[in-house]
Structure formats: C-alpha cells, structure tokens
C-alpha cells in the first residue's frame, strides 16, 4: 500500500515532536533532557499502539483475554497488548524507575540498576468497550518525580502523589487521525500522526490548545439518571433547558474521545457518583489527574464537585472519584448544584 503525503498549508510548516521537545527543553534551562526522552519514548508507544488499533480487525486482536483485572473489568486482548508496549518501551528508558497501570494490580519497579527519577502512571487503552466496533479510543499517561531515594526501588508512595505533583501528563487519541496531546505545565500541545512519514507533527506551528470558557456540550451516561443524586439530575436539566446557551448531548463512552472533543469545542464531561458506583467510576491516578492537568492548562477546570481533582490525596492505587471536567462556566455551575 502506498501512502500519499498530506498537503500542508503553505504559510505554516509543520513542526515535528522531536523539534518541538528540543525547543521546549532549551526554553527551560533547568531541564536535564530526562523528561524529553520519556516523552519521545511515549510518542513511540503511541505509534505502536496506534498501529495495533488500526490493524486489529486484520490480525485477531478483537475480543477478550478471558482475564478480569483488579477493578473487576474484563481485559480485552488489546488492553493486554497496549499494556505490554508501554511496559517494554518505558523499561528501556533509564530515567523511568517504575510504572503503574490500570491493568495491573500493583505498581512495578524496574530493576535495581534503574535509578531513574521519574515514575509513569498509564491507562494503556481507554474506551476498551468501544474497541471491537471501530469507535475512537485512547491511552492516558501521567509522569511524577519519585519521592523515594534513587538508590532504592520505587515504593507505593511514589505512586500515590496528588495530581498537582505531576510534571507531565497527556493522552493519545486513536480517532480519525492519531493524536498525541501533552502538557508539562507550560500550555497544552496537540500533535497529529502523519502516517506518510510516521511522525507526530504540529500542523499549525507552535499554537497551544485553549478550551472555551463557556461550554455548549454535556457528556454523561444519562442511562444512569435514576441512580444519580438529585443535584446532578437538576444540573443536567439546567444545561439542556437554560434559555442562554442550552447544551447539546454528545457521549462516545471513551473518556479520551469525549474529553478531547469538549476540550476543543467547549463543554463538560461528568461521571457522577451513583447508587452502583458510590465514588464514581473513573480512576483518579491514571484517568482523572492527567486529564485534569490538561484541562487546567487549557483554561478549564476539573473537580469532584467539592475539591479540585489535583488536590485530592490518593489513598489507593486504583481509587475512583466522582468527576466533572471541562469548561469553567459549566464546572462551576455543577459545584453550585452540589452545595
Ligand atoms: P477503560 O476502557 O480504560 O476501562 O475506561 C472506560 C471508561 C471511560 O473510557 C469511559 O468514559 C467510561 O468508562 C464509560 O463508562 P460507561 O460505560 O459506564 O458510560
Ligand atoms: Mn480508561
Ligand atoms: Mn483502560
């Protein structure tokens, strides 16, 4: 198969991810290059998982492994394969001392010679239930500096840090194109995979992603309405019926895809607590904190209705929390309905 090169606009030449990361590193003299090398490796993970996603229907990647993870969810074959890609590539990076994954019961220290000062949290495949039907899915990652001394193996407390300690976070979106979106706390950048050369590029030079302050979309699994608290029911009703800027509903059921659309267009995503999931469904460490970091860097907000997501103290690796995330105006409105 031959792949034709895309036609870029004449007055904005694309910047590839390596060039961009080198420029960012030069702009921050304190940077040692360690984070740049981890991000470069994560862009490799993104390409390889993107390939697995795109070819899944051709090579027996659909379906379940037969295993159930610690969270009681069935593990599909691609969850396991994507997890392996993250693990193998990160293991080869001397700056990474260990990782924790949504798909593994506990954190994994790399061997004792690996004295890296960073740890990585990831959700290797987000939106797994959509995978077999060719609907957009993603991966999420989050990077912290370890707290334990570099002379030892990493410990659980390295993986139970508040979101505000993140040094970098991002996601890969396997949609109509594959994207790599990340922040190190200096704005949000979104790269698109150009399959003709196998590189992530910023098609519009150095433009940052900013999210609209007022949203016009709400994303929630409304089939759960009878299990919600009354404040949540009233909030959703307000969003759709208010005279000024009533919202439309959009829900893919893949967090990364729903989040990314709302980030660009303005809107709010929520997964409230309900009578079946008393703490909500989504995972604080590998789903909520990274997306909260991106949302805030883009000018949005993320809370559990009472607390900023990134200030919540994690007590467990696979802790779940209620979340409302997206445009400021709609997140603040949610807080009023809960108070
Ligand atoms: P994962 O595929 O990593 O287990 O995450 C699934 C999550 C998230 O992607 C999505 O927004 C949410 O589950 C959907 O939940 P419902 O099916 O309950 O709406
Ligand atoms: Mn997920
Ligand atoms: Mn997952």
């Amino acid at each position: 198969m031959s792949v034709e090169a895309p036609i870029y606009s004449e007055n904005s030449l694309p910047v590839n991810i390596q060039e961009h990361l080198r420029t960012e590193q030069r702009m921050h003299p304190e940077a040692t290059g360690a984070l740049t090398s981890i991000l470069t490796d994560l862009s490799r993970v993104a390409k390889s998982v993107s390939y697995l996603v795109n070819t899944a229907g051709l090579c027996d990647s659909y379906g379940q492994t037969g295993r159930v993870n610690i969270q009681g969810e069935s593990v599909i074959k691609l969850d396991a394969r994507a997890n392996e890609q993250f693990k193998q590539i990160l293991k080869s990076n001397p700056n990474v001392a260990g990782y924790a994954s949504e798909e593994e019961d506990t954190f994994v220290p790399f061997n004792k010679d690996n004295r890296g000062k960073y740890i990585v949290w990831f959700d290797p495949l987000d939106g797994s239930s959509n995978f077999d039907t060719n609907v957009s899915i993603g991966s999420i990652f989050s990077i912290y500096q370890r707290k334990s001394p570099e002379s030892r193996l990493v410990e659980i407390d390295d993986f139970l840090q508040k979101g505000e300690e993140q040094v970098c976070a991002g996601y890969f979106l396997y949609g109509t194109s594959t994207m790599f979106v990340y922040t190190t706390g200096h704005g949000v950048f979104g790269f698109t995979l150009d399959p003709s050369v196998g590189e992530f590029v910023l098609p519009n030079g150095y433009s940052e992603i900013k999210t609209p302050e007022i949203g016009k979309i709400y994303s929630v699994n409304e089939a759960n309405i009878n299990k919600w608290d009354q404040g949540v029911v009233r909030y959703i009703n307000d969003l759709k019926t208010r005279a000024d800027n009533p919202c439309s509903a959009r829900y893919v059921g893949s967090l990364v895809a729903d989040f990314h659309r709302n980030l660009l267009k303005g809107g709010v995503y929520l997964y409230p607590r309900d009578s079946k999931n008393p703490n909500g469904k989504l995972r604080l460490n590998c789903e909520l904190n990274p997306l909260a970091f991106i949302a805030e860097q883009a000018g949005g907000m993320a809370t559990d209705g009472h607390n900023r997501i990134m200030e919540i103290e994690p007590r467990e690796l696979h802790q779940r929390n209620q979340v409302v995330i997206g445009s400021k105006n709609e997140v603040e409105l949610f807080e009023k309905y809960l108070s």
Side-chain angles (χ1 to χ4, degrees):
M1 184 187 77
S2 70
V3 182
E4 283 200 24
I7 300 160
Y8 292 110
S9 130
E10 277 173 29
N11 42 19
S12 66
L13 280 177
V15 175
N16 76 25
I17 199 164
Q18 275 78 28
E19 288 168 321
H20 168 85
L21 292 171
R22 275 197 297 273
T23 308
E24 287 287 299
Q25 195 186 323
R26 277 198 298 274
M27 281 160 61
H28 300 284
E30 72 286 2
T32 60
L35 211 50
T36 301
S37 86
I38 300 173
L39 279 166
T40 303
D41 277 349
L42 286 166
S43 76
R44 292 195 180 106
V45 177
K47 282 186 227 174
S48 92
V49 178
S50 174
Y51 183 78
L52 291 176
V53 169
N54 293 159
T55 54
L58 307 169
C59 47
D60 187 37
S61 285
Y62 285 152
Q64 320 261 331
T65 57
R67 203 175 74 77
V68 172
N69 68 15
I70 189 163
Q71 337 215 15
E73 297 163 341
S74 300
V75 179
I76 67 165
K77 288 182 194 166
L78 206 79
D79 282 322
R81 289 181 190 172
N83 196 65
E84 203 53 29
Q85 293 301 317
F86 269 92
K87 179 176 168 173
Q88 292 309 336
I89 293 180
L90 291 175
K91 200 173 178 180
S92 68
N93 188 315
N95 300 299
V96 183
Y99 74 91
S101 160
E102 182 193 85
E103 293 304 335
E104 300 196 33
D105 298 2
T106 188
F107 65 95
V108 179
F110 289 146
N111 69 53
K112 63 179 180 348
D113 300 326
N114 189 336
R115 307 243 163 104
K117 69 173 180 187
Y118 293 100
I119 63 98
V120 183
W121 255 110
F122 54 85
D123 173 357
L125 201 69
D126 172 71
S128 309
S129 68
N130 279 324
F131 173 60
D132 287 4
T133 52
N134 207 0
V135 173
S136 297
I137 53 176
S139 305
I140 311 174
F141 68 88
S142 170
I143 307 175
Y144 293 83
Q145 272 196 30
R146 62 187 294 176
K147 293 275 175 219
S148 56
E150 285 172 41
S151 55
R152 297 217 301 258
L153 291 179
V154 283
E155 297 162 2
I156 189 159
D157 285 348
D158 295 318
F159 296 87
L160 292 178
Q161 300 190 50
K162 287 186 193 172
E164 59 188 3
E165 301 292 333
Q166 289 171 107
V167 292
C168 178
Y171 56 85
F172 319 145
L173 171 61
Y174 316 109
T176 45
S177 57
T178 292
M179 286 195 74
F180 182 104
V181 177
Y182 88 98
T183 185
T184 52
H186 306 286
V188 179
F189 295 95
F191 298 80
T192 301
L193 183 61
D194 174 349
S196 68
V197 287
E199 275 180 26
F200 279 103
V201 296
L202 262 180
N204 301 313
Y206 279 95
S207 56
E208 284 180 31
I209 297 177
K210 287 286 173 200
T211 196
E213 206 164 313
I214 300 179
K216 51 185 180 194
I217 294 170
Y218 74 92
S219 307
V220 68
N221 189 340
E222 216 161 339
N224 294 329
I225 191 165
N226 292 334
K227 302 188 199 107
W228 293 343
D229 297 340
Q230 280 312 301
V232 181
V233 177
R234 286 198 294 272
Y235 169 70
I236 294 296
N237 200 42
D238 185 349
L239 291 184
K240 25 187 202 192
T241 58
R242 64 191 182 185
D244 205 14
N245 193 36
C247 289
S248 225
R250 291 284 184 279
Y251 191 70
V252 176
S254 299
L255 174 62
V256 170
D258 282 310
F259 175 82
H260 184 74
R261 181 201 51 243
N262 293 358
L263 183 74
L264 300 188
K265 293 198 161 184
V268 68
Y269 175 99
L270 61 156
Y271 211 110
R273 62 181 296 277
D274 60 40
S275 50
K276 187 174 147 215
N277 302 292
N279 299 313
K281 177 184 177 190
L282 300 178
R283 276 70 41 145
L284 177 63
N285 294 310
C286 63
E287 294 179 317
L288 302 186
N289 274 329
L291 298 189
F293 194 13
I294 300 265
E296 288 193 7
Q297 283 293 313
M301 282 177 75
T303 83
D304 68 355
H306 305 286
N307 312 293
R308 184 173 162 241
I309 289 292
M310 291 205 289
E311 285 176 18
I312 297 173
E313 185 101 50
R315 297 174 315 279
E316 298 166 24
L317 290 174
H318 297 290
Q319 172 169 336
R320 296 169 193 252
N321 283 84
Q322 162 163 285
V323 68
V324 52
I325 184 166
S327 293
K328 245 181 179 161
N329 195 53
E330 283 62 39
V331 176
E332 282 171 351
L333 185 65
F334 182 82
E335 290 178 329
K336 285 189 197 127
Y337 273 92
L338 288 204
S339 57

